Amino acid sequence: MTAASPVKSSPLHVVSPLVPSNMLSVVCGQQALLKLENIQPSGSFKIRGIGHYIQKSTEKGCAQVISSSGGNAGMAAAYSSKVLKIPATIVLPMSTPSFMISKLKQEEADVLVHGEVWDVAHKKAITMAKNKKCCLVHPFDHPDIWEGHSTIVDEILEQSTEAPAAIVVSVGGGGLLCGILSGLHRHGATDIPVVAMETEGAHCLRAALDAGKPVSIGEIPSIAKTLGALCVTQGVFDLKEGIQLSSHVVSDKQAVEACINFAVGLSLHQPVLGTEDLGRGTFTDTYLSKPHGGLWKDFTESL
């Protein structure tokens, strides 16, 4: 199962390792492998798709990046813009943590906070990007973004000694999921099932699958507010044909406990807290100083 990578120019992302997890393998009853996207220059897998999209846009004349994101997508847009030496403005919802705003500014991006949820911030970004020289970077909904994300499948199949029994991925708006589905189609590997994970209150994929089309969930009561979207992209429905896609939804409490158990199992001094990237085998940038520290107390009391 080999196919040429869709990314032709020098990519902004790096090839990440695929490593076995003894702890997860015991839980699963078979070997579980993690794709360590935490080593990407912007801190997450988002650089694959968004970096690719911005590179293609600059080739078409884009001179300024406008993006809307509550986290990793904004970091990827800011980092890509800095590397490509074009200005970037990132529009964020009010739920965005202050540390993320500071990190975006460290990447030399201008930051505008607008709206309570991502969808509102994105509408503001659309208005700001009416200038023809501007490149509007959606956090997850564009074929070029999916094309960039599909490189993760190239690497998984190259690094694996045999085809995976399944690929497990968590879903916000569906960008990474579309990339994986696209990559499986390109490699003729549609027999590999995909397991999509979401938290209750940020379950836009499950709502869409139940309805048979993308639908809005109205609000995001999950504590993972900046990781979710009100509506999954139509791309999921366009790309899932011929692939066994299953949806699983867990509670915030289950997700947080899994993150803590995962981190403790890896003997990390600073356990990782973040539902978005656990299912992807990557790490977010929000940490607990110790299991009974203040941040842990704040999160558990909110569950």
Side-chain angles (χ1 to χ4, degrees):
M1 290 184 293
T2 59
S5 171
V7 178
K8 304 303 181 183
S9 58
S10 179
L12 299 180
H13 69 268
V14 300
V15 175
S16 64
L18 183 70
V19 300
S21 167
N22 292 333
M23 181 188 70
L24 291 182
S25 296
V26 170
V27 172
C28 295
Q30 57 185 322
Q31 187 181 52
L33 303 173
L34 299 177
K35 195 78 168 97
L36 301 185
E37 289 293 281
N38 60 302
I39 72 163
Q40 294 295 345
S42 68
S44 80
F45 76 92
K46 292 280 190 179
I47 189 63
R48 291 179 181 270
I50 289 177
H52 180 56
Y53 174 83
I54 293 176
Q55 280 183 306
K56 292 187 73 171
S57 296
T58 56
E59 292 170 2
K60 299 173 184 176
C62 171
Q64 180 175 5
V65 165
I66 304 291
S67 178
S68 56
S69 168
N72 289 332
M75 281 298 299
Y79 172 82
S80 300
S81 300
K82 184 175 73 172
V83 171
L84 296 172
K85 302 186 185 308
I86 57 175
T89 298
I90 315 298
V91 186
L92 305 175
M94 289 185 284
S95 55
T96 306
S98 58
F99 81 89
M100 181 58 76
I101 294 175
S102 297
K103 289 186 66 175
L104 288 166
K105 291 180 177 179
Q106 289 172 11
E107 294 293 340
E108 302 175 9
D110 292 327
V111 176
L112 173 65
V113 178
H114 180 83
E116 294 186 2
V117 296
W118 171 82
D119 296 73
V120 177
H122 183 61
K123 289 179 181 178
K124 179 65 174 178
I126 292 174
T127 300
M128 295 174 61
K130 290 183 177 179
N131 188 314
K132 292 183 179 180
K133 288 290 186 180
C134 288
C135 161
L136 178 63
V137 181
H138 195 287
F140 56 83
D141 196 5
H142 194 282
D144 288 342
I145 293 176
W146 310 335
E147 187 175 70
H149 288 333
S150 75
T151 59
I152 203 167
V153 176
D154 301 339
E155 294 174 20
I156 289 173
L157 297 181
E158 176 69 24
Q159 295 165 328
S160 301
T161 56
E162 57 183 345
I167 295 177
V168 182
V169 58
S170 58
V171 177
L176 179 58
L177 175 58
C178 284
I180 290 173
L181 296 174
S182 176
L184 291 176
H185 279 296
R186 182 161 47 80
H187 281 273
T190 54
D191 57 328
I192 299 176
V194 178
V195 180
M197 303 297 300
E198 296 176 290
T199 53
E200 294 172 359
H203 56 286
C204 63
L205 174 63
R206 169 60 68 82
L209 293 176
D210 288 345
K213 62 181 180 180
V215 293
S216 174
I217 57 175
E219 60 179 349
I220 302 177
S222 168
I223 61 172
K225 294 184 186 302
T226 63
L227 306 183
L230 295 179
C231 186
V232 76
T233 173
Q234 171 64 37
V236 172
F237 286 84
D238 298 337
L239 292 166
K240 73 181 183 69
E241 283 299 316
I243 296 176
Q244 181 184 332
L245 173 63
S246 59
S247 166
H248 296 268
V249 179
V250 299
S251 69
D252 281 340
K253 188 173 187 294
Q254 288 175 308
V256 170
E257 288 176 347
C259 289
I260 300 303
N261 291 336
F262 180 73
V264 171
L266 290 179
S267 300
L268 297 176
H269 294 296
Q270 294 180 306
V272 179
L273 181 62
T275 57
E276 178 182 43
D277 290 329
L278 178 63
R280 298 172 184 138
T282 68
F283 300 104
T284 60
D285 296 304
T286 304
Y287 300 94
L288 306 177
S289 58
K290 55 181 66 176
H292 302 291
L295 183 57
W296 168 244
K297 182 172 182 292
D298 291 343
F299 267 85
T300 52
E301 287 181 350
S302 71
L303 297 176

